[in-house]
Each structure stands twice: as C-alpha cells, then as structure tokens.
Amino acid sequence: MARQTLGKRKRTLSQQQAAWALLAPFLATYCAFLVYPFFKGVWISLYDWNLLAVAMNPAAAKWVGLHNYVHMLWGRNITWGPVSHPIIQLLALAVLAGAFGLHRAGRLSGRSAIPIAIAALLIFLLLGFTPGEGGRWFDRRFWPTVGNTVLFVALAAPGTTIAALLLAAALNRETRMMAVFRTLFFLSQVLSVTVVTLIWQIMFSPTQGLIDNVIQVFGGSPVSWLTDPHFAMLAIVVTTIWWSLGIAMILFLAGMQDINREIYEAAALDNARGWKSFWFITLPNLKRTITLVVVLQIILHFQVFGQSHLMTQGGPDDRTQVLVRYIYQSAFRDSEIGRASAMAVFLFAIMSVFAVIQFLIGREKSE
C-alpha cells in the first residue's frame, strides 16, 4: 500500500514537471515579448525620452515622473458640459439607459449591465471635458484624436455587429449555395490591411470608383470620399465593416445553430415565422453572443491604424487621425518615446475596461 502511494506521488510529481516543461517555452516567450515590453513601456512613460538622443547617449533620458501624463491629459481652463460632443455623449446615454432598461426587464443580468453602464457613463463624462474661453489642452492633438477614435469605434462596432447579424440570419441554412456565400463573405477577413485599403481606395476613387459611378448614374455628383472632411471617416468605417464582417458572422452563425429547432417549430404552429421568429426567438437567444461580439469589436477597433494610415494619412485636417497612428507618429517621427509610451498606457487602460467586460461575460456564460 505504501509503495502504491509513493508510486502515485512520484507519477504526480513527474506530471507536474512535464507540465512545467511544456509551459516553460511559452511562458518565457510571453514574458520576453509581452510582459517585459509592457512594464518597460510604463517605465519609459515616466521619462523625457528622445529616441535619437538616448540612442547616442543612454544617460540623455531624464526622469519627469507623471509630467507626460499631465501634459497629455490636462490643460488650462478646462470646463465640463453634457453636450460637448453631443452625438457621442447622447449615444453613451442611450447605451446607459438601454442597459438599465434591459436589466429592469430581466433581459440583461447585473454582471453584464453594470460594466456596460460604467463604460457608457465614463464615455459620457470624459467626453464632456473641453477647453473653456482662453483655455486649451496641453497636447492640442491628443483629445481630438481620442474623439476621432471613439467616433470610429461608435460607428464601426455597431455597424459590424448589425451587418454580421443580418448576414448570418440570411445564411443560416444548410444548403450548398449558403455554404458558398459564407465562404465568400468570410474571405474579406483573411485579406491583409494593405489589400483591403487598396481595394477600397479604388472603390472610393472619384473618377474610377464604382461608388461614384453609381451615384452619377442616378444623377448625383462625384464625392471625394477620402479627401472630404465630412466623408473621410465614413469611408474608413465602411472599409472596416467590410473587412471585419467574417469573424462576427461566424460567431453569430454558431450561436444561431445552438438554438433548439423545436422552439422554431413550436413558434411556427403559432404563425410566428420570418421576422417574428427572428425578433422573438433568435435575438433573445443570441443576447450573450451579441454582447460578446460588440465587446470584441470595440477592443479590435480601438486599435485601428492601417486604414487611417494607408487611406487618408490621418487627414484631411486630422479628421481621421486615430490614437494608434498618433502614438506611432510621436514615437518614430517626432522621436518622443516617453510621450508616446504615456499615450500607449492610456490606450491600454481603455482596452482593459473592455477586456474586463469580456471576462465577466465569458465567466457568466461558463456558469
């Protein structure tokens, strides 16, 4: 008996050693390429760190503490108002009210409603800060850039979610033709950002593009989509929705195929077909998938870079300048690594909020 116990203990110990041996390469790579660069970036954000100067002389980096954060986030004579950015703030209030209403109606649990409400409230409050008369932000381009990024996310995330949901509902049939269409719509997801932006630059061309040619057929005038301040962001949003459609569509299809067919058959007996069955059966059963897709899209779209960089170079007049592109310019064009690192930490904080929301949703689903 004692030998058997000793044997089991030895076998358990060897399994643990094998597990650590298998995990060690991944942990070493993870720490070397993710954990260490992250903390190094936080440390650099506390320095006045000029890339070229420090490359020539490592002692050129000067400790400035939180100066980069203060310079980036605050300014002189900053005021707060409930309609400083009316569209986004009203949208945030609508999300806040929607989360509260769905929770009261029992359609959204507290664990899902509270993080969504907190995120909407933070967006509403933070976007209310603007420079008053004679005031200005210390970094004049930072907050407009954050506003552009939030606007992009506010348009692209719901747009992708709604388009993917409708597409999945249309393709949720077990036929060969539907399988072909699913493959065709998913193909955009595997293209690189360079190919995607090249395709849509041609589509948006005012002389050769398909969109303007269609507009002219109906008697309209050509639009300079990528150089007009009113349409440039919209063009990037349309490009991004087309590019991001594949994964969201697959998630919705998986969610729809998990719904019990007997529910639809019972509803059909009550003459609930088509849009009625979609509204009263499909949507309620997809609420967790919808929330998950929205959160994933928000996290993904906050990192937008290639579309803005390749299609409009952040223009016209910085209307499509987004946060990641501004970080890139500060670091590698202006050589201000410390300031760029502070902005990267700020972006990480925003992403962390939505990552926590995603974690809570996933935990709720597993329970």
Side-chain angles (χ1 to χ4, degrees), residues 141 144 148 227 229 312-321:
R141 297 180 67 194
N148 289 339
T227 55
T312 61
Q313 288 79 49
D317 300 330
D318 269 358
R319 294 294 185 93
T320 59
Q321 178 76 303

Side-chain angles (χ1 to χ4, degrees), residues 32-111:
F33 292 101
L34 287 174
V35 178
Y36 173 72
F38 169 73
F39 286 105
K40 180 77 174 181
V42 174
W43 181 67
I44 290 175
S45 71
L46 304 175
Y47 281 80
D48 179 9
W49 189 297
N50 185 284
L51 179 64
L52 297 178
V54 174
M56 300 295 292
N57 176 22
K62 297 178 182 176
W63 171 265
V64 294
L66 297 176
H67 173 76
N68 285 326
Y69 293 94
V70 174
H71 184 84
M72 174 183 70
L73 297 173
W74 209 241
R76 187 172 61 229
N77 192 22
I78 303 300
T79 61
W80 186 88
V83 290
S84 299
H85 294 81
I87 296 176
I88 302 174
Q89 283 183 287
L90 286 175
L91 187 63
L93 282 180
V95 172
L96 180 64
F100 180 74
L102 289 173
H103 177 61
R104 292 276 296 176
R107 293 178 173 271
L108 196 63
S109 68
R111 287 182 179 177

Side-chain angles (χ1 to χ4, degrees), residues 12 62-63 108 150 154 175 183 221 228 230 242 247 266 279 283 287 333 344:
T12 302
K62 297 178 182 176
W63 171 265
L108 196 63
V150 172
T175 65
T183 306
S221 301
D228 190 314
H230 299 99
W242 181 81
I247 290 294
W279 184 259
L283 280 183
K287 64 178 184 180
R333 187 193 67 184

Side-chain angles (χ1 to χ4, degrees), residues 21 25 38 115 142 199 207 299 319 325:
F38 169 73
F142 177 73
I199 291 171
T207 55
I299 293 173
R319 294 294 185 93
R325 187 172 188 274

